[in-house]
Amino acid sequence: MCAKGDSTAIGSGSVKMESVLKKELNTTRLKTLGFAGGGCISQGQSYETDSGRVFVKVNHKNQAKTMFDGEMASLEAILKTNTIKVPRPMKVISLSDGGSMFIMEHLDIHSLSKYMAKLGEKLGDLHLHNAKHKEQQQREAQTIGKGPAQSEIQYVDKFGFHTITCCGYIPQNNDWQNDWVNFFARQRLQFQMDLIEKEYGDREARELWSKLQLNIPALFHGIDITPALLHGDLWGGNIGQVEDGPVIFDPAAFYGHSEYELGISGIFGGFNSAFYTAYHNKFPKAPGFEKRVKLYQLFHYLNHWNHFGTGYRGSSISIMKALVK
């Protein structure tokens, strides 16, 4: 997610912060490199250490540790699938001011250009990974002497995640649910609407939401949804390329509907037709796809409204009006 930055840059940190880094990394050398980054929520800097290069993200908000713990768990989960490249996470460190630092592998990431189709293909592989585990588990259950209890494959049959993740700095309720429609309506949309009601008391939004809730189940009629591991915040600012292929970063992962991933990708641009063609070769569009993607975009517009203010109200209201017709 992105709009306006609100975090203190890492460069404004103290000598004490560098001393913490040296201790945690067990290094005498800590030289800043020309690679600085970070998005709308946190800032980052690459360093040369005794054992190689690392990238360090810093956020001074009190909820930073929750945010970085979720990001670390997200990267670990994606990394384990061996489907699409992500930075290897290392550790989260609490700071004395209540903020946190997140240390990860340094990657020389550039704007995505020649690997757009490969990104679509690899993202499809990520989304299919859990379904393939399901198929393998079913095969192994039919194999004499090797039932599911002996299998090393662990299929995730629910929607959610084992820890809190943050889309931006707002924590997401990832409590496990059997039903995707209920999970998304209650733990994503309703949560965002509750925040808007508390902050703005927007009557039009409240009335539209009361109508839209009744329409949501029909958008999923006849759709069979297998939980897929999602990046969770795949906009153009969270993709790039290294020398040998595409890379994604800053995830807010959970197990959900694969189509959810394509919600924010269509809002801010950065993804061309080669990406979508390659992805849909893996995941052909199911009936009603366009309306469901609009529903998923609604979450991101509401989330941006809650992060950055009423500049995103119009888009939120417009989508709700379209979906209640």
Side-chain angles (χ1 to χ4, degrees), residues 132-143 145-155:
K132 289 182 177 179
H133 275 195
K134 180 182 181 181
E135 293 170 6
Q136 188 167 343
Q137 186 171 291
Q138 289 172 338
R139 286 195 301 268
E140 290 180 352
Q142 297 168 0
T143 301
K146 190 172 185 181
Q150 288 76 45
S151 174
E152 295 178 0
I153 301 300
Q154 294 187 353
Y155 165 62

Side-chain angles (χ1 to χ4, degrees), residues 2 16 25 31-32 40 42 47 97 120 124 140 149 187 213 249 260 267 274 312:
C2 193
K16 184 177 179 182
L25 293 171
K31 179 184 177 183
T32 58
C40 314
S42 301
Y47 293 92
D97 67 357
E140 290 180 352
Q187 293 174 216
Q213 291 180 72
F249 44 91
Y260 172 92
I267 293 177
Y312 291 94

Side-chain angles (χ1 to χ4, degrees), residues 261-315:
E261 201 86 282
L262 302 184
I264 196 168
S265 71
I267 293 177
F268 298 112
F271 299 81
N272 64 21
S273 59
F275 164 81
Y276 289 106
T277 298
Y279 180 81
H280 288 302
N281 282 339
K282 301 265 184 180
F283 272 92
K285 293 180 183 179
F289 169 83
E290 282 76 15
K291 276 196 170 182
R292 288 191 298 276
V293 167
K294 285 292 183 187
L295 183 70
Y296 295 143
Q297 288 181 342
L298 174 61
F299 164 78
H300 292 288
Y301 280 123
L302 294 173
N303 191 39
H304 277 69
W305 185 353
N306 279 314
H307 275 86
F308 307 116
T310 53
Y312 291 94
R313 179 187 183 275
S315 298

